[in-house]
Short mmCIF file of all heavy atoms in Angstrom, two decimals:
data_model
loop_
_atom_site.label_atom_id
_atom_site.label_comp_id
_atom_site.label_asym_id
_atom_site.label_seq_id
_atom_site.Cartn_x
_atom_site.Cartn_y
_atom_site.Cartn_z
N GLU B 315 171.84 96.17 172.17
CA GLU B 315 172.37 97.06 173.21
C GLU B 315 173.17 96.23 174.25
O GLU B 315 174.22 96.63 174.67
CB GLU B 315 171.20 97.73 173.94
CG GLU B 315 170.44 98.76 173.10
CD GLU B 315 171.30 99.96 172.72
OE1 GLU B 315 172.26 100.25 173.45
OE2 GLU B 315 171.02 100.56 171.69
N VAL B 316 172.58 95.08 174.60
CA VAL B 316 173.25 94.26 175.58
C VAL B 316 174.61 93.77 175.07
O VAL B 316 175.59 93.75 175.79
CB VAL B 316 172.35 93.05 175.98
CG1 VAL B 316 173.09 92.04 176.80
CG2 VAL B 316 171.13 93.58 176.73
N ARG B 317 174.63 93.44 173.80
CA ARG B 317 175.84 92.94 173.18
C ARG B 317 176.91 94.04 173.13
O ARG B 317 178.04 93.85 173.49
CB ARG B 317 175.56 92.39 171.80
CG ARG B 317 176.58 91.46 171.25
CD ARG B 317 176.00 90.59 170.16
NE ARG B 317 175.60 91.35 169.00
CZ ARG B 317 174.44 91.20 168.37
NH1 ARG B 317 173.56 90.29 168.81
NH2 ARG B 317 174.14 91.93 167.31
N ASP B 318 176.45 95.22 172.61
CA ASP B 318 177.43 96.30 172.43
C ASP B 318 177.88 96.92 173.74
O ASP B 318 179.05 97.21 173.91
CB ASP B 318 176.81 97.38 171.51
CG ASP B 318 176.55 96.87 170.12
OD1 ASP B 318 177.01 95.73 169.83
OD2 ASP B 318 175.86 97.58 169.34
N LYS B 319 176.94 97.17 174.62
CA LYS B 319 177.29 97.91 175.83
C LYS B 319 177.86 97.01 176.93
O LYS B 319 178.67 97.46 177.71
CB LYS B 319 176.07 98.63 176.39
CG LYS B 319 175.64 99.81 175.51
CD LYS B 319 174.66 100.65 176.28
CE LYS B 319 174.26 101.86 175.46
NZ LYS B 319 172.99 102.37 175.92
N TYR B 320 177.36 95.82 177.02
CA TYR B 320 177.74 94.96 178.11
C TYR B 320 178.55 93.76 177.71
O TYR B 320 178.99 92.99 178.53
CB TYR B 320 176.51 94.51 178.91
CG TYR B 320 175.66 95.62 179.44
CD1 TYR B 320 174.64 96.19 178.64
CD2 TYR B 320 175.84 96.16 180.71
CE1 TYR B 320 173.87 97.21 179.13
CE2 TYR B 320 175.08 97.17 181.19
CZ TYR B 320 174.07 97.73 180.38
OH TYR B 320 173.30 98.74 180.88
N GLY B 321 178.73 93.62 176.39
CA GLY B 321 179.54 92.49 175.89
C GLY B 321 178.94 91.18 176.27
O GLY B 321 179.68 90.20 176.50
N PHE B 322 177.64 91.07 176.34
CA PHE B 322 177.02 89.81 176.74
C PHE B 322 176.13 89.27 175.65
O PHE B 322 175.44 90.00 174.97
CB PHE B 322 176.18 90.03 177.99
CG PHE B 322 175.55 88.77 178.54
CD1 PHE B 322 176.25 87.96 179.41
CD2 PHE B 322 174.26 88.40 178.11
CE1 PHE B 322 175.69 86.78 179.89
CE2 PHE B 322 173.71 87.23 178.59
CZ PHE B 322 174.42 86.42 179.47
N GLU B 323 176.22 87.99 175.43
CA GLU B 323 175.35 87.37 174.47
C GLU B 323 174.69 86.15 175.12
O GLU B 323 175.37 85.24 175.59
CB GLU B 323 176.14 86.92 173.23
CG GLU B 323 175.25 86.41 172.14
CD GLU B 323 175.77 86.81 170.76
OE1 GLU B 323 176.97 86.79 170.54
OE2 GLU B 323 174.93 87.08 169.92
N PRO B 324 173.38 86.14 175.17
CA PRO B 324 172.69 85.05 175.86
C PRO B 324 172.68 83.77 175.05
O PRO B 324 172.78 83.79 173.80
CB PRO B 324 171.24 85.57 176.05
CG PRO B 324 171.07 86.56 174.94
CD PRO B 324 172.41 87.15 174.68
N GLY B 325 172.59 82.66 175.70
CA GLY B 325 172.36 81.38 175.04
C GLY B 325 173.55 80.87 174.24
O GLY B 325 173.38 80.14 173.26
N VAL B 326 174.77 81.27 174.61
CA VAL B 326 175.92 80.80 173.89
C VAL B 326 176.75 79.89 174.78
O VAL B 326 177.27 78.89 174.36
CB VAL B 326 176.76 81.98 173.39
CG1 VAL B 326 177.95 81.48 172.54
CG2 VAL B 326 175.91 82.91 172.55
N ASP B 327 176.84 80.30 176.04
CA ASP B 327 177.69 79.54 176.99
C ASP B 327 176.80 78.99 178.11
O ASP B 327 176.24 79.75 178.86
CB ASP B 327 178.75 80.50 177.53
CG ASP B 327 179.53 79.87 178.66
OD1 ASP B 327 179.45 78.64 178.82
OD2 ASP B 327 180.23 80.62 179.38
N PRO B 328 176.69 77.65 178.20
CA PRO B 328 175.84 77.10 179.24
C PRO B 328 176.31 77.37 180.65
O PRO B 328 175.57 77.17 181.60
CB PRO B 328 175.83 75.62 178.93
CG PRO B 328 176.80 75.33 177.87
CD PRO B 328 177.25 76.65 177.35
N ASP B 329 177.52 77.83 180.80
CA ASP B 329 178.04 78.08 182.16
C ASP B 329 178.03 79.58 182.52
O ASP B 329 178.58 79.97 183.53
CB ASP B 329 179.43 77.52 182.31
CG ASP B 329 179.46 76.04 182.07
OD1 ASP B 329 178.56 75.38 182.59
OD2 ASP B 329 180.32 75.53 181.34
#
Side-chain angles (χ1 to χ4, degrees):
Chain B
E315 292 294 336
V316 170
R317 198 159 66 226
D318 294 350
K319 288 193 179 159
Y320 302 88
F322 182 87
E323 186 145 37
V326 183
D327 172 15
D329 300 317

